[in-house]
Amino acid sequence: MNTALRLVMAALITMAIVACQPKPKPTEEVPPGSETTTEGAAVEGAPDPRDYTDARNFDNPESLLSKRVVYFDFDKSTVRAEYRGIVAAHAAYLAAHAAGRVTLEGHTDERGTREYNLGLGERRGNAVMGLMSAQGARGDQLVVVSYGEERPVCRVSDESCWAENRRVEIVYTAR
Amino acid sequence: MTVTENMKKIIFLLLALLVHPLAQGQLQIEIISGNASALPIAIVPFSWEEPDPAPLTGVAEIVSNDLYRSGLFDPMESKDMPDRPSDEESIRFGTWRLLKVDYMVIGKVRTAPDGQGHELIYQLFDVHTQEKLLSQITTVGQGDLRFGAHRVADAIYKALTGVPGAFSTRIAYVTAIGTGKATKFELVVADADGFSPQSVVGSPEPLLSPAWSPDGKKLAYVSFEKGNSAIYMQDVSTGARELVSSGRGINGAPAFSPDGKSMALTLSRSGNPEIYIKNLATGAETQLTNHWAIDTEAVWAPDGKHIYFTSDRGGKPQIYRVPVTGGNPERVTLSGDSNARASIAPDGKRIAVAQGRGNEYRIAVWDTESQRFTILTPGTLDESPSFAPNGSMVLYATREGMRGVLSAVSADGNVRQRLILSDGDVREPAWSPVIR
């Protein structure tokens, strides 16, 4: 094999590796340096998805820590049973990581007035905060910000879309 | 003199426009449903008696458009006019009567005596009796014929309906262009006919709830630019602004008191949204409501003695009323699934709300005397009603497909018009007070 061909192959392999890198999810806010390296994962193996104190589980689709949105019923702020596990997982992480900080962003669908929805979004954020606090997260680790109906993820005026917009996003500002 | 003040204001506005040209188009207004009993009127093109060339859009055209949009008038198109008299002696009333015109306006535009600005000299006639109903001179600053024309329309409207016109007022609204995190928000002020849009503030984070000061000089609004809701107060002509509130939790729903000295606002620092009154001179805040429910969207009664607000203390949002001095809130809206975001008519007796029923939201007006609602709009996602300062119309936000647009409806629900921006989403309208 001549040198030129070797160089071309090396270039192709490099490109293939770059192309295979997982794209960062735009909704996740991960501070620089906190991401686990692929070599580390390869050496130690996949983390136990039920170990909610393990930061690697933030990117492990098997783990509840990778889920960071809680959805609500119309005009309600009760955390439904199916989302309690997610809330508990993040509470466990925060309890184990004193430096961890979370903003609970409360959102609503477009029905109802904008200022009332600011109140409703805050109620949802507070409901998640209350559960997390009861499960070991400290008050100074949690901040609720309500966006009301101002930051929809879906813009069609129907129930499937409204259901996606009625949510609390668990956003880590520090892990 | 007020005219000179207005001149200054307008020059300021023009300068501001030069500094911050708005990329978006202006609002386009069209009547969706009209009024069969609209009064036939002819606004004869004003004769132009200034040395400079006449502007492309004449005074009469602006006046005609204003009156048409009110839904109460059916102005004749200038191409259908038999002649264009500009003084009383040359009006051939018989010809106009044959054309079934009930009222006509003639006028001229001259350079103001001080050489700085325009004089609009005009008369209004009853074509049938040949009676002169109005004869006036309106003086405006250099290059502000549009404002002068709106003043003329205000005077004609008042002479024929008994109600002061609101054509020379302005509207504030929020535009949102783009989707998702790339959305760009802008708070805009425009003439009531959608012309001369001027950007007050732009932000990559949501803007909402603009509220006018009673002198029409300032806007209070909510901005998320700091990552949480915060209330700002901004001078519309100079752009100077101050932070009013940015505490933990919600800082929302600002509303100036009628004397301009206080502001009602919603704060959730106690753990849930409550109404507070802030003294704008001292900064002192008084808590007005105290309930676990969501209490928000405060507005002042025109006499400044009561605050109306939205609360879900009864289960669903309804309008309540509490004395400004404090006390027990009483429920105001007694029917309808949910009623929120009150706007009080200048007479203090009619309250426009966004009324919800299932997934349908319509603008409805609660009459405090008859204790009944009149539903004004067809829905289905109508919100943010804002009464015109003369009580004749209600401006509101609605949806067309996936886009937000503004509409205005006459207070009796008969006439509806749509204000379309060339691109993006328009919402959160607030009609200015009468600017003197």
Side-chain angles (χ1 to χ4, degrees):
Chain A
M1 209 184 285
N2 65 39
T3 324
L5 192 55
R6 266 172 215 248
L7 279 172
V8 169
M9 283 191 68
L12 282 174
I13 291 165
T14 312
M15 281 165 70
I17 290 169
V18 170
C20 287
Q21 297 278 331
K23 285 179 188 166
K25 288 179 189 170
T27 50
E28 289 174 23
E29 288 171 28
V30 185
S34 66
E35 284 178 65
T36 50
T37 58
T38 39
E39 298 99 272
V43 172
E44 294 170 23
D48 174 1
R50 283 161 303 174
D51 180 0
Y52 304 127
T53 65
D54 189 334
R56 291 174 301 170
N57 276 325
F58 281 118
D59 301 314
N60 177 4
E62 302 288 303
S63 173
L64 287 178
L65 268 193
S66 71
K67 298 182 172 37
R68 268 156 277 176
V69 188
V70 176
Y71 296 94
F72 291 82
D73 291 335
F74 174 61
D75 206 15
K76 293 285 185 291
S77 55
T78 313
V79 179
R80 302 202 306 248
E82 65 207 272
Y83 296 107
R84 299 208 171 205
I86 296 174
V87 173
H90 290 282
Y93 181 86
L94 289 171
H97 295 83
R101 294 288 183 277
V102 154
T103 300
L104 300 168
E105 293 184 357
H107 300 269
T108 71
D109 68 32
E110 64 186 348
R111 293 172 292 171
T113 58
R114 292 177 185 273
E115 289 281 355
Y116 176 81
N117 280 337
L118 279 187
L120 181 58
E122 186 180 70
R123 250 184 209 166
R124 289 176 177 159
N126 285 343
V128 174
M129 181 167 76
L131 278 181
M132 285 187 171
S133 299
Q135 289 163 355
R138 295 193 322 272
D140 64 351
Q141 292 181 293
L142 303 167
V143 176
V144 171
V145 171
S146 175
Y147 282 95
E149 64 180 275
E150 308 303 323
R151 285 285 187 200
V153 290
C154 182
R155 290 193 156 269
V156 182
S157 295
D158 64 20
E159 177 49 38
S160 69
C161 207
W162 289 331
E164 281 185 54
N165 290 334
R166 294 188 301 261
R167 69 201 193 275
V168 166
E169 294 192 17
I170 301 167
V171 178
Y172 279 82
T173 52
R175 282 180 180 174
Chain B
M1 199 178 151
T2 55
V3 170
T4 343
E5 270 190 43
N6 273 322
M7 267 174 61
K8 283 181 193 159
K9 194 179 298 167
I10 275 114
I11 291 166
F12 242 118
L13 280 180
L14 285 174
L15 287 176
L17 261 180
L18 290 176
V19 180
H20 304 288
L22 211 56
Q24 319 147 9
Q26 70 197 32
L27 290 168
Q28 305 224 323
I29 300 178
E30 59 186 57
I31 301 254
I32 305 166
S33 63
N35 189 341
S37 59
L39 282 178
I41 190 168
I43 317 293
V44 178
F46 284 24
S47 81
W48 182 260
E49 299 179 0
E50 293 198 23
D52 296 337
L56 279 175
T57 307
V59 168
E61 191 179 336
I62 298 166
V63 174
S64 287
N65 285 338
D66 281 351
L67 295 176
Y68 173 66
R69 282 188 296 105
S70 77
L72 300 180
F73 296 91
D74 178 19
M76 179 184 251
E77 285 193 45
S78 61
K79 64 175 170 54
D80 298 331
M81 294 181 186
D83 55 8
R84 298 179 173 198
S86 63
D87 47 55
E88 191 173 349
E89 296 73 38
S90 38
I91 302 176
R92 295 179 296 154
F93 283 106
T95 310
W96 293 92
R97 259 199 304 273
L98 285 175
L99 292 167
K100 301 202 184 315
V101 172
D102 286 353
Y103 298 96
M104 67 186 291
V105 175
I106 61 166
K108 50 187 82 173
V109 183
R110 287 206 299 237
T111 307
D114 62 0
Q116 306 285 313
H118 313 278
E119 260 187 0
L120 285 65
I121 305 153
Y122 63 98
Q123 287 105 40
L124 164 68
F125 296 93
D126 180 324
V127 172
H128 299 278
T129 64
Q130 304 190 12
E131 190 188 346
K132 194 191 293 179
L133 302 175
L134 198 64
S135 178
Q136 280 191 345
I137 301 178
T138 295
T139 312
V140 291
Q142 193 65 44
D144 199 55
L145 269 181
R146 292 200 70 91
F147 182 70
H150 294 315
R151 298 281 292 260
V152 172
D154 282 347
I156 294 166
Y157 186 89
K158 183 173 186 190
L160 295 177
T161 67
V163 177
F167 304 114
S168 60
T169 56
R170 289 190 285 168
I171 55 175
Y173 51 88
V174 173
T175 63
I177 293 171
T179 51
K181 300 254 175 192
T183 306
K184 172 113 176 60
F185 298 86
E186 196 138 23
L187 174 59
V188 180
V189 168
D191 291 351
D193 63 355
F195 274 80
S196 315
Q198 170 204 358
S199 172
V200 177
V201 64
S203 172
E205 298 295 331
L207 295 169
L208 66 156
S209 302
W212 290 91
S213 62
D215 62 5
K217 290 180 177 162
K218 289 177 181 167
L219 277 172
Y221 56 89
V222 175
S223 169
F224 276 82
E225 66 198 59
K226 284 183 158 188
N228 185 20
S229 52
I231 300 170
Y232 292 88
M233 181 164 70
Q234 187 159 344
D235 187 297
V236 173
S237 52
T238 67
R241 73 169 189 170
E242 53 186 287
L243 181 61
V244 177
S245 183
S246 64
R248 190 182 171 109
I250 295 168
N251 301 267
F256 285 96
S257 62
D259 66 7
K261 292 176 179 165
S262 310
M263 189 186 282
L265 31 85
T266 299
L267 304 174
S268 70
R269 63 181 178 212
S270 67
N272 71 306
E274 305 285 7
I275 312 276
Y276 292 74
I277 308 275
K278 189 182 182 92
N279 180 318
L280 291 173
T282 66
E285 289 167 354
T286 318
Q287 187 173 344
L288 190 61
T289 63
N290 188 2
H291 197 280
W292 53 261
I294 294 172
D295 292 338
T296 187
E297 299 173 339
V299 284
W300 298 71
D303 65 7
K305 290 178 179 159
H306 286 89
I307 295 278
Y308 290 82
F309 64 100
T310 304
S311 176
D312 68 342
R313 58 186 62 202
K316 286 198 168 181
Q318 292 291 347
I319 306 299
Y320 290 76
R321 187 176 90 142
V322 64
V324 170
T325 48
N328 235 357
E330 53 172 335
R331 185 166 157 180
V332 174
T333 47
L334 301 175
S335 61
D337 252 18
S338 76
N339 296 291
R341 182 103 176 204
S343 172
I344 316 283
D347 61 16
K349 293 170 185 163
R350 290 170 296 153
I351 303 168
V353 297
Q355 183 169 81
R357 190 177 158 201
N359 292 338
E360 306 263 298
Y361 290 80
R362 297 186 171 95
I363 306 303
V365 170
W366 175 258
D367 185 315
T368 56
E369 288 177 346
S370 69
Q371 306 257 298
R372 290 173 67 119
F373 268 117
T374 307
I375 293 174
L376 295 190
T377 68
T380 56
L381 283 168
D382 301 342
E383 63 176 358
S384 304
S386 175
F387 259 110
N390 65 358
S392 65
M393 300 202 91
V394 178
L395 187 62
Y396 65 99
T398 183
R399 297 291 297 266
E400 275 186 0
M402 282 164 66
R403 168 164 105 138
V405 301
L406 302 187
S407 281
V409 62
S410 59
D412 61 7
N414 282 339
V415 181
R416 213 148 38 83
Q417 56 186 250
R418 183 166 49 173
L419 296 79
I420 303 265
L421 196 74
S422 49
D423 51 354
D425 211 61
V426 197
R427 72 250 315 238
E428 296 288 90
W431 209 316
S432 85
V434 172
I435 300 159
R436 292 187 177 87

